[in-house]
Amino acid sequence: MKSLYRIGQIVPSSNITMETEIPALLAARQLIRPERFLFHSSRMRMKTVSKDELSAMDAQSDRCALELSDARVDVLGYACLVATMSMGVGYHRVSEARLHGRTVENGAPAPVVTSAGALVDGLATLGARRIVVVAPYMKPLTRLVIDYLASEGYEVIDHVALEIPDNLDVAAHDPQNLPGIVAGLNYKDADAIVLSACVQMPSLPVVPKVEALTGKPVLSAAIATTHAMLRALELERIAPGGGALLSGAY
């Protein structure tokens, strides 16, 4: 039985959180399960979270998939939720199929998950339909995320756009501010709370606190991506500190 898995990560060049939170979740999992994980990244150039830069960055994802498939990774995760969603509704399916095709062409087929698709699927796994969303993006990009989720059948009943344009500033946002931000939102009738609709904005340290505060399942783009990776690897979807979605109940 396979016990060592190589995780390939397609990462915006200014992203410093995906390579922190996803490994942290899988490191916590290693304390309770036998599988072990190694991480390999390939980067796409992006500094400012704008539609033009996101589109130009997405065009580099094919190169990244090829590079990571050279390393014979077991799964690839494309970590920029808003880049995918800004390309049009349903684009995560197009992206996942195309990037998987690059690995097949390279003789190293591997499943591909996107953070956008992972969030869509993670909400479905939780049985959530009415949701609250915290996003670091400017308001126009946040609207794109809300519209994308609506196209997948989710109703965003409240949200906040933190309007942080620089991607490194997104990573520097203190997660300890998030419980207070959520407390100011109308989450009473929500089925779930998306604490960070961005793999760059850290939230992992406060997920248990926000679940306790609200009594709602809480997930993030990073948690959803981890869940999708484990599912693609046909492994139990469990990781301590990963909220309801990674509790082992789903």
Side-chain angles (χ1 to χ4, degrees), residues 30 37 48 62 107 117 120 150 161 167 176 185 210 226 230 236-237:
Q30 289 179 163
F37 304 91
T48 302
D62 289 69
V120 167
N167 207 33
Q176 298 301 327
L185 296 175
V210 176
T226 303
L230 289 170
E236 186 180 8
R237 278 82 76 188

Side-chain angles (χ1 to χ4, degrees), residues 130-204:
R130 294 163 56 84
I131 61 175
V132 167
V133 174
V134 181
Y137 314 121
M138 305 303 286
K139 288 180 180 178
L141 286 178
T142 302
R143 174 48 58 184
L144 283 175
V145 171
I146 292 170
D147 290 346
Y148 196 101
L149 292 171
S151 76
E152 296 288 338
Y154 300 105
E155 180 186 358
V156 178
I157 62 174
D158 204 359
H159 75 279
V160 62
L162 300 180
E163 298 196 89
I164 308 172
D166 185 273
N167 207 33
L168 284 175
D169 290 340
V170 173
H173 186 265
D174 187 350
Q176 298 301 327
N177 293 331
L178 292 173
I181 290 169
V182 171
L185 296 175
N186 179 23
Y187 61 81
K188 180 181 177 182
D189 295 325
D191 301 316
I193 295 169
V194 179
L195 191 58
S196 175
C198 175
V199 288
Q200 175 75 326
M201 186 171 75
S203 64
L204 199 55

Side-chain angles (χ1 to χ4, degrees), residues 59-94:
Q60 303 172 52
S61 60
D62 289 69
R63 168 185 56 79
C64 294
L66 281 171
E67 291 175 356
L68 290 167
S69 64
D70 284 343
R72 299 300 191 264
V73 296
D74 296 296
V75 65
L76 283 79
Y78 180 1
C80 191
L81 179 142
V82 73
T84 301
M85 291 188 175
S86 69
M87 297 293 286
V89 296
Y91 183 72
H92 68 274
R93 298 178 183 88
V94 176

Side-chain angles (χ1 to χ4, degrees), residues 226-238:
T226 303
H227 181 270
M229 286 177 167
L230 289 170
R231 183 173 57 191
L233 295 171
E234 299 182 351
L235 296 175
E236 186 180 8
R237 278 82 76 188
I238 186 169

